[in-house]
Amino acid sequence: MKIIIAGAGEVGFHLAKLLSYESQEITLIDTNKESLTYADNHLDIKVIKGDSTSIAILKEARIEESDLLIAVTSSETTNITVCVLAKQLGANRTIARISNTEFIAHKDEIGFKKLGIDELISPESLAASEIELLLNQSAFNDSYEFDEGALTMVALSLSRTALFVGKSVKDAAKIYPEIRFVPIAIQRFGTQYTIIPRGDTLFNEGDNVVFITSEGGAQELCELTGKINTEIRNIMILGGSKIGYKTARDLCKQYPNVKLIEKDKERAFDLADDLADVLVINGDGRNVDLLDEEGLTNMDAFIAVTGNSETNIMSCLVAKSKGVRKTIALVENMDYFELSHSIGIDTLINKKLLAANTIFRYIRKGEVIAMTKLNNMNAELLEFNVKPTSKICNRLIKDVDFPRAAIIGGVIRNGRGYTALGDFRIGVNDKVVVCCLPRSIKQVEKLFL
């Protein structure tokens, strides 16, 4: 695919990096020479210095031949303008990064597609939604819902007391035949290798395992692994950023006690005016005495979303040491993801990764409905819609020539999720959730064309 990215900031560079690894034809546009030079030296892409709202610059990037334009500059207005111009100049599909979530809530009413914008994404809104989902599944360190929870992906580390540690996948299935979850990826403790489990794959203590669960499966998984889905009532949020604001605003609707700590006095007063049901505290969240005074030890969850990754990580470690069961930290450095489990933080989230997950489904072949990359693992979860022409249609799963580096995690049919095994027959309009390593993606895509 020929893809043009407007904006070489943190989101734009990360997208260019991921896409260039897949041998996509990438053109990166920005006015910042330093950002472009770094991208040009480190990635196999084309860079153009200039204003992405310039028609001449867009034509230089051969916009009329582009399959996808992604506008992810820091300016919402610029992103919308670029997408409108690009569509008029012949771009096949456009995606705009925005910060005003009202646009997403009213996108059908406004008719953004008529204007030339195919999709709107807000990394801040995606992060706030991710936090809300993680609190709802508090026993797990990663979570993702397909079709409003018809199937749910959850990840956890296996403790010594988990009932299927030491057993193979096949043996565990015999012991628990009615179970409503299936393992789809395993990362061995202390390694960076991702395993797609087969029948003879063993579960080991310390494994980080990703499961697909149908309704009720998450609770079964908690019981078998000794995890507890703690009831969340008291939440402390560190940082009144856009993510902090959106998170507090959404969480106060369902949780009785939400506190937000913001260092900047003026910003704290603004937040207090907007968030009537949230207790806003003006103070430095790095001050442990302040956290203690505000009842950190009584919190069920601690969420650190300041603009500083190190502050977020350290404050979560303090919260963990004070007995807070669920900790979530926002980080910008992708390398920190590898440290999350070893240093004791439950979950790290990253805006760039969340935005990339949303955008990647437009790049995959076949009718991809949803997509997410697994944290800490070199694997993707893809939800495909089965068409009458798909090679997988009307066939039993066990009869499909499925690559070894991929696995079907579940199937959604008429709104209901199933953890489908070999004897399950795939039908037209089924939604199939597949976990696959990068080397198998193209082979999987061909099955759903």
Side-chain angles (χ1 to χ4, degrees), residues 17-44:
K17 179 180 177 181
L18 292 178
L19 294 170
S20 67
Y21 289 163
E22 300 199 352
S23 302
Q24 308 284 359
E25 185 182 344
I26 310 298
T27 301
L28 184 62
I29 304 173
D30 202 285
T31 55
N32 188 309
K33 184 178 179 180
E34 188 176 333
S35 297
L36 288 178
T37 301
Y38 184 83
D40 194 26
N41 290 338
H42 289 79
L43 306 175
D44 183 20

Side-chain angles (χ1 to χ4, degrees), residues 1-5 11-27 43-45 68 70 356 359-360 362-364 373:
M1 290 180 72
K2 177 171 174 52
I3 302 169
I4 298 173
I5 301 173
V11 176
F13 177 81
H14 182 65
L15 279 170
K17 179 180 177 181
L18 292 178
L19 294 170
S20 67
Y21 289 163
E22 300 199 352
S23 302
Q24 308 284 359
E25 185 182 344
I26 310 298
T27 301
L43 306 175
D44 183 20
I45 63 173
L68 177 65
I70 308 167
I359 291 169
F360 257 70
Y362 295 100
I363 295 158
R364 296 285 170 242
K373 285 181 175 289

